[in-house]
Amino acid sequence: MNEQILKIIGRISPHASQYVEQLSSTSKVEILYSDLIKTRENVFLIVRDDNCTIFYASCSDENECILNKIEDYTNEVIRNLKENHELCFNVSGNNDLIISLVRSLGFKVDMEGDHYEYMGSIPDICKSDLVSKKYHPNMIDDFASLFDDAYYQLNLENNWPTDNYTKYKEYFNKDLVSLSDADNFGAFWLDDNLVGAYLFENNYIIDLVVNPKFQNHGYGQYILKKCLRKMMEREIKHIRLRVAKTNRVKSLYERNDFLKIACFSEHTYRK
């Protein structure tokens, strides 16, 4: 696989680039269109798997030619789509014309947002009145409430369920136990109040939340720095996180040496 193509797909997300690279030596990946002449960096490809087909498009120049090819290829796949086979379309979040086209073809947005990477050094951590506690399953109600409350406004704005952590707390508990056992977890309390937590897996911070009642007191920055320090002490490289487009917490990461490296708009086809 051409390294430049992988780099362009990586502007959608690092995961997209890794996925395409892993399957690039098989017949599952097909480059439907590429234009890499001079300053143009236009790529449109498809990855076919047994249960799911994914289109990827990332373009520096959303010209009529690429838009027509996307429409033609996508319609052809839709016409031949088998029942129960999932069809997705992941686009660079900067490609407004392609996003509009994709949605006109019957795709519904799943999530839009950005990937950030930490570019700083091991952070210094100031003293705090927060106390770290190891997770125990008898804390699950506190954690389910914390995560539902922390994401309530974001979920409401995006018409997503607002009580998933409480509703599926048995599964959430298993995840927390697993992450805690791997020491990929931090929880911070003020007396008997759960203020916030972080979770990470491999090189990704998968969650960092603060109870809305305790926001705007510097606790988010403190918890972020604790997470970064633990990851960096383990010599984890390329520390990254994914943030929804409408999540206001992006400003926290940008103030703390995170740089945006990718922008995505993910869709699934709905008949």
Side-chain angles (χ1 to χ4, degrees):
M1 174 67 69
N2 185 306
E3 287 295 325
Q4 188 178 3
I5 289 177
L6 290 173
K7 182 180 178 181
I8 294 168
I9 294 300
R11 292 172 189 162
I12 301 174
S13 79
H15 300 107
S17 179
Q18 291 165 9
Y19 181 58
V20 170
E21 184 177 23
Q22 288 170 3
L23 296 176
S24 61
S25 60
T26 72
S27 60
K28 295 181 177 181
V29 178
E30 181 182 358
I31 299 171
L32 302 174
Y33 179 83
S34 67
D35 180 2
L36 308 177
I37 299 173
K38 295 184 179 179
T39 60
R40 294 198 298 271
E41 293 185 320
N42 300 333
V43 174
F44 173 45
L45 61 81
I46 189 170
V47 181
R48 296 181 176 89
D49 213 336
D50 293 338
N51 300 312
C52 181
T53 295
I54 307 176
F55 285 109
Y56 293 99
S58 179
C59 300
S60 62
D61 174 23
E62 297 177 276
N63 56 57
E64 187 176 356
C65 178
I66 183 65
L67 292 172
N68 288 338
K69 287 186 180 295
I70 288 174
E71 184 172 10
D72 291 343
Y73 277 117
T74 305
N75 278 329
E76 181 181 352
V77 171
I78 289 173
R79 283 194 297 269
N80 295 290
L81 189 64
K82 295 179 180 178
E83 190 174 355
N84 298 323
H85 188 88
E86 188 173 37
L87 179 61
C88 301
F89 208 128
N90 296 344
V91 189
S92 167
N94 298 314
N95 291 151
D96 293 338
L97 294 178
I98 298 176
I99 290 170
S100 179
L101 172 60
V102 165
R103 293 177 185 175
S104 74
L105 297 175
F107 289 83
K108 304 299 182 184
V109 63
D110 295 319
M111 185 175 179
E112 293 183 300
D114 306 299
H115 288 259
Y116 284 83
E117 183 169 331
Y118 183 63
M119 300 298 179
S121 56
I122 297 179
D124 295 324
I125 300 176
C126 298
K127 289 184 178 180
S128 172
D129 49 1
L130 296 180
V131 175
S132 176
K133 294 183 183 180
K134 186 175 175 62
Y135 180 72
H136 189 278
N138 64 13
M139 300 174 177
I140 185 57
D141 287 336
D142 290 309
F143 277 87
S145 295
L146 168 66
F147 277 72
D148 278 337
D149 290 347
Y151 284 117
Y152 179 80
Q153 191 61 39
L154 177 67
N155 290 335
L156 197 65
E157 291 171 356
N158 289 279
N159 295 314
W160 298 334
T162 58
D163 61 348
N164 269 352
Y165 289 97
T166 298
K167 188 175 181 179
Y168 301 108
K169 64 182 179 182
E170 291 182 13
Y171 299 101
F172 187 38
N173 176 62
K174 290 179 181 178
D175 289 341
L176 292 177
V177 168
S178 177
L179 290 166
S180 181
D181 288 346
D183 200 22
N184 292 357
F185 165 93
F188 301 88
W189 300 71
L190 188 61
D191 299 324
D192 293 327
N193 299 299
L194 178 57
V195 172
Y198 67 74
L199 316 172
F200 69 87
E201 196 166 25
N202 298 320
N203 67 318
Y204 260 80
I205 301 172
I206 54 177
D207 262 313
L208 192 151
V209 297
V210 176
N211 187 323
K213 296 177 182 177
F214 294 94
Q215 290 177 1
N216 301 313
H217 291 84
Y219 292 136
Q221 180 166 304
Y222 174 81
I223 293 170
L224 175 61
K225 288 184 174 182
K226 292 286 283 187
C227 180
L228 288 169
R229 193 169 187 89
K230 175 174 282 190
M231 295 177 77
M232 296 185 79
E233 286 173 349
R234 291 193 196 174
E235 299 185 349
I236 295 174
K237 307 296 184 184
H238 304 295
I239 297 173
R240 295 169 176 166
L241 49 82
R242 189 173 94 147
V243 188
K245 183 178 181 179
T246 55
N247 195 332
R248 299 176 184 86
V249 77
K250 285 192 288 188
S251 60
L252 168 66
Y253 301 128
E254 290 167 351
R255 290 197 310 270
N256 285 276
D257 299 320
F258 278 84
L259 180 68
K260 184 163 73 171
I261 60 170
C263 183
F264 65 89
S265 183
E266 299 174 344
H267 304 77
T268 301
Y269 179 71
R270 314 285 186 196
K271 291 183 180 180

